[in-house]
């Protein structure tokens, strides 16, 4: 019994992965305080490590074609332990949605619409996401192409316009990071934007050509990583060490664009890019959560769960963090550790157990 | 405010429930009602101004106070 009838192509998968990574482009601000001007180095090393993580995920997904994470857990760990691990995974996915919603809400309250209540913004945002999820993965995949291309164009455009404000001396002193800070910031980088590729366990089964899934996920990761790299290079080159005291350094850097007093106030482009990529990210996680719950409870359709889960996410986003400061604190010191079992230990042990038990067993053999 | 909230939940129920009953999807109906009830209780408590505990508190407690694994 397939819950999802849609099929996506491997190039659409690539755009989805890119969109997911780009959705975290502004959360790099979490590690500016730790990594300072060496942040681009941290982004690169996080990207390289996460390529290996993605290889683990893909080889696991290719071992069990047309099975999603919940079914894989059921096969590998047996029905009871598998269900427990799946439930933990769903909790993990579920908490990422309100965190991103809260990020959007705080961002628009700070920079765009200070007088509007956060609930209005979040409800409108979540309504669109719920709509997309109800239409299925095919629709999300098709929108992803347009949205990702827009984001890449915005990124290149602001890069070109900021060239005259960039000072390469802002990157000095280079490699001044202590080992502990370096490890911590790489870990945060790995856990928050890149490790979230994990969610594609729920999407890869619906790719029409599973053989090409590997190259498209890796390519998507690299393109998304390069976008994040360009973001960090931009704000470090323009703002230098000042960026460590700002909540959203990329936004502040783009604010400085001023071409002859005519082309100004381009920071709204950054906000648009943020909104559309976070829409993609939230939709993918939302879809994975809803589909996972439907799979776990053996339902025939995931559609009835979309609205209740959406309301729960909006409600959670209000009391998840008391303040943006707490959000950064949690993202920096707690969340990376909390994500280790999900992003590293469970997939690795699943792969090992599948090897030892010689899974998947041949039908009728 | 509370009236508006109840209205929204009734509308959501009217959208979803008739289709489920027509197709005799009882299992789906139970799951839908459970999650909708959870959502209703959470939003109702928030509208009434009750401060709910964050689900991150338990994660913080587990990692910070039991395992001592957090970054300093």
């Amino acid at each position: 019994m397939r819950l999802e009838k849609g099929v996506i192509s491997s190039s659409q998968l690539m755009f989805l992965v890119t969109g997911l990574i780009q959705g975290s482009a502004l959360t790099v601000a979490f590690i500016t305080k730790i990594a300072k001007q060496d942040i681009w180095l941290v982004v690169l090393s996080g990207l390289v490590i996460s390529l290996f993580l993605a290889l683990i995920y893909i080889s696991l997904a290719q071992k069990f074609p047309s099975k999603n994470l919940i079914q894989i857990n059921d096969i590998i760990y047996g029905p009871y332990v598998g269900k427990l691990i799946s439930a933990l995974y769903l909790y993990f996915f579920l908490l990422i949605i309100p965190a991103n919603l809260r990020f959007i809400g705080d961002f628009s309250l700070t920079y765009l619409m200070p007088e509007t209540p956060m609930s209005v913004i979040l409800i409108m945002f979540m309504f669109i996401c719920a709509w997309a999820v109800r239409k299925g993965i095919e629709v999300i995949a098709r929108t992803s192409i347009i949205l990702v291309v827009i984001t890449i164009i915005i990124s290149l455009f602001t890069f070109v316009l900021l060239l005259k404000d960039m000072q390469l001396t802002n990157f000095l002193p280079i490699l001044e990071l202590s080992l502990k800070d370096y490890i911590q910031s790489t870990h945060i980088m790995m856990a928050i934007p890149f490790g979230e590729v994990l969610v594609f366990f729920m999407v890869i089964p619906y790719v029409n050509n599973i053989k090409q899934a590997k190259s498209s996920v890796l390519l998507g990761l690299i393109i998304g990583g390069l976008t994040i790299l360009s973001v960090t290079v931009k704000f470090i080159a323009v703002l230098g060490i000042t960026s460590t005291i700002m909540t959203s350094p990329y936004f502040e850097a783009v604010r400085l664009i001023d071409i002859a007093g005519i082309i100004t106030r381009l920071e709204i482009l950054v906000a648009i890019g943020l909104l559309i990529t976070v829409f993609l990210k939230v939709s993918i996680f939302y879809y994975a959560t809803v589909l996972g719950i439907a799979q776990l409870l053996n339902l025939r359709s995931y559609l009835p769960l979309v609205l209740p889960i959406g309301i729960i996410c909006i409600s959670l986003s209000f009391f998840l963090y008391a303040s943006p400061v707490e959000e950064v604190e949690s993202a920096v010191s707690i969340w990376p550790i909390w994500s280790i079992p999900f992003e590293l230990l469970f997939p690795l042990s699943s792969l090992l157990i599948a090897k030892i038990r010689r899974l998947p067993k041949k039908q009728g053999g | 405010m509370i009236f508006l909230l109840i209205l929204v939940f009734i509308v959501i129920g009217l959208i979803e429930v008739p289709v489920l009953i027509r197709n005799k999807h009882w299992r789906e109906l139970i799951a839908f009602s459970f999650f909708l009830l959870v959502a209703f209780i959470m939003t109702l408590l928030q509208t009434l101004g009750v401060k709910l505990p964050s689900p991150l508190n338990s994660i913080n407690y587990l990692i910070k106070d039991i395992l001592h694994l957090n970054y300093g």
Side-chain angles (χ1 to χ4, degrees):
Chain A
M1 183 80 211
R2 271 167 79 100
L3 279 164
E4 167 67 54
K5 296 189 177 57
V7 175
I8 61 173
S9 70
S10 47
S11 65
Q12 283 172 330
L13 179 70
M14 187 194 87
F15 281 107
L16 278 175
V17 177
T18 315
L20 184 92
I21 306 295
Q22 284 175 344
S24 318
L26 283 188
T27 56
V28 215
F30 292 153
I31 55 172
T32 44
K33 275 186 196 58
I34 306 164
K36 302 203 172 67
Q37 71 274 22
D38 283 337
I39 190 165
W40 58 278
L41 210 69
V42 169
V43 173
L44 273 183
S45 50
L47 178 62
V48 171
I49 296 173
S50 58
L51 286 180
F52 290 105
L53 274 186
L55 277 181
I56 298 177
Y57 303 157
I58 298 164
S59 52
L60 190 57
Q62 282 182 335
K63 250 186 175 10
F64 301 91
S66 76
K67 296 264 188 296
N68 62 27
L69 183 59
I70 312 292
Q71 291 162 316
I72 293 176
N73 281 340
D74 265 1
I75 295 173
I76 290 178
Y77 298 101
Y80 297 106
V81 184
K83 287 244 178 347
L84 183 74
I85 291 175
S86 305
L88 280 175
Y89 263 113
L90 292 175
Y91 186 59
F92 177 72
F93 290 159
L94 186 68
L95 281 187
I96 290 177
I97 305 170
N100 279 293
L101 284 179
R102 182 58 185 265
F103 189 79
I104 281 282
D106 280 335
F107 183 84
S108 37
L109 244 62
T110 320
Y111 291 110
L112 305 177
M113 296 179 255
E115 303 277 315
T116 318
M118 194 156 75
S119 54
V120 175
I121 295 162
L122 293 190
I123 289 170
M124 289 195 300
F125 189 81
M126 205 60 186
F127 181 72
I128 307 277
C129 294
W131 201 340
V133 172
R134 278 183 77 98
K135 293 290 172 198
I137 189 70
E138 259 184 54
V139 172
I140 303 175
R142 283 185 200 146
T143 50
S144 73
I145 296 181
I146 307 167
L147 300 183
V148 165
V149 169
I150 292 175
T151 319
I152 291 176
I153 290 172
I154 290 172
S155 192
L156 290 177
F157 187 61
T158 50
F159 193 87
V160 171
L161 291 185
L162 274 175
L163 274 177
K164 76 178 173 57
D165 293 319
M166 286 186 186
Q167 286 169 343
L168 291 183
T169 47
N170 278 336
F171 286 105
L172 300 174
I174 209 164
L175 299 173
E176 278 283 283
L177 223 52
S178 70
L179 188 64
K180 178 186 165 293
D181 284 348
Y182 183 72
I183 290 174
Q184 181 187 0
S185 44
T186 310
H187 187 190
I188 297 166
M189 205 62 217
M190 215 178 83
I192 292 179
F194 296 127
E196 286 169 356
V197 177
L198 176 74
V199 77
F200 282 94
F201 264 129
M202 306 297 286
V203 179
I204 287 180
Y206 310 116
V207 177
N208 57 4
N209 190 348
I210 192 109
K211 290 271 180 294
Q212 288 173 3
K214 185 188 231 165
S215 58
S216 52
V217 168
L218 293 184
L219 205 62
L221 252 178
I222 290 171
I223 297 174
L226 288 181
T227 318
I228 292 193
L229 187 69
S230 84
V231 167
T232 54
V233 165
K234 257 180 272 184
F235 72 69
I236 292 293
V238 173
L239 298 171
I241 201 73
T242 329
S243 59
T244 53
I245 57 168
M246 290 167 175
T247 50
S248 179
Y250 181 35
F251 194 79
E252 303 282 351
V254 176
R255 201 172 245 180
L256 294 179
I257 292 178
D258 186 355
I259 310 288
I262 299 168
I263 302 177
T264 54
R265 308 198 57 150
L266 287 179
E267 70 267 16
I268 201 68
L269 286 180
V270 176
I272 293 170
L274 174 77
L275 275 176
I276 61 181
T277 48
V278 174
F279 157 73
L280 263 185
K281 189 176 172 184
V282 169
S283 299
I284 295 167
F285 272 99
Y286 192 3
Y287 175 80
T289 313
V290 174
L291 190 71
I293 292 174
Q295 188 87 58
L296 197 64
L297 300 177
N298 260 330
L299 305 184
R300 272 164 289 186
S301 155
Y302 68 89
L303 293 182
L305 297 179
V306 173
L307 288 175
I309 299 291
I311 297 172
I312 290 175
C313 289
I314 294 174
S315 170
L316 271 176
S317 68
F318 284 100
F319 57 86
L320 201 58
Y321 308 113
S323 65
V325 180
E326 208 183 300
E327 182 182 359
V328 175
E329 183 61 35
S330 152
V332 163
S333 70
I334 307 288
W335 193 263
I337 309 283
W338 164 244
S339 66
I340 287 180
F342 301 102
E343 290 177 355
L344 188 62
L345 294 186
F346 287 150
L348 212 56
S349 67
S350 304
L351 205 58
L352 278 179
I353 293 173
K355 270 247 158 57
I356 293 168
R357 290 181 56 192
R358 295 211 173 75
L359 292 168
K361 292 200 169 64
K362 294 275 184 298
Q363 293 289 319
Chain B
M1 221 32 213
I2 294 172
F3 173 71
L4 211 65
L5 188 75
I6 293 170
L7 196 73
V8 167
F9 277 89
I10 289 175
V11 167
I12 291 175
L14 285 180
I15 293 172
E16 299 282 0
V17 170
V19 183
L20 292 179
I21 291 179
R22 210 178 302 135
N23 295 335
K24 299 203 170 59
H25 283 181
W26 305 121
R27 224 185 145 83
E28 286 78 4
L29 188 63
I30 295 170
F32 169 73
S33 328
F34 171 74
F35 282 109
L36 199 66
L37 193 71
V38 172
F40 182 67
I41 292 170
M42 278 166 71
T43 42
L44 185 70
L45 287 178
Q46 273 183 324
T47 325
L48 294 174
V50 180
K51 223 173 146 43
L52 296 167
S54 161
L56 287 181
N57 287 351
S58 52
I59 298 174
N60 286 0
Y61 183 71
L62 174 73
I63 286 170
K64 229 181 209 166
D65 301 331
I66 298 181
L67 298 175
H68 297 286
L69 275 176
N70 62 316
Y71 287 111

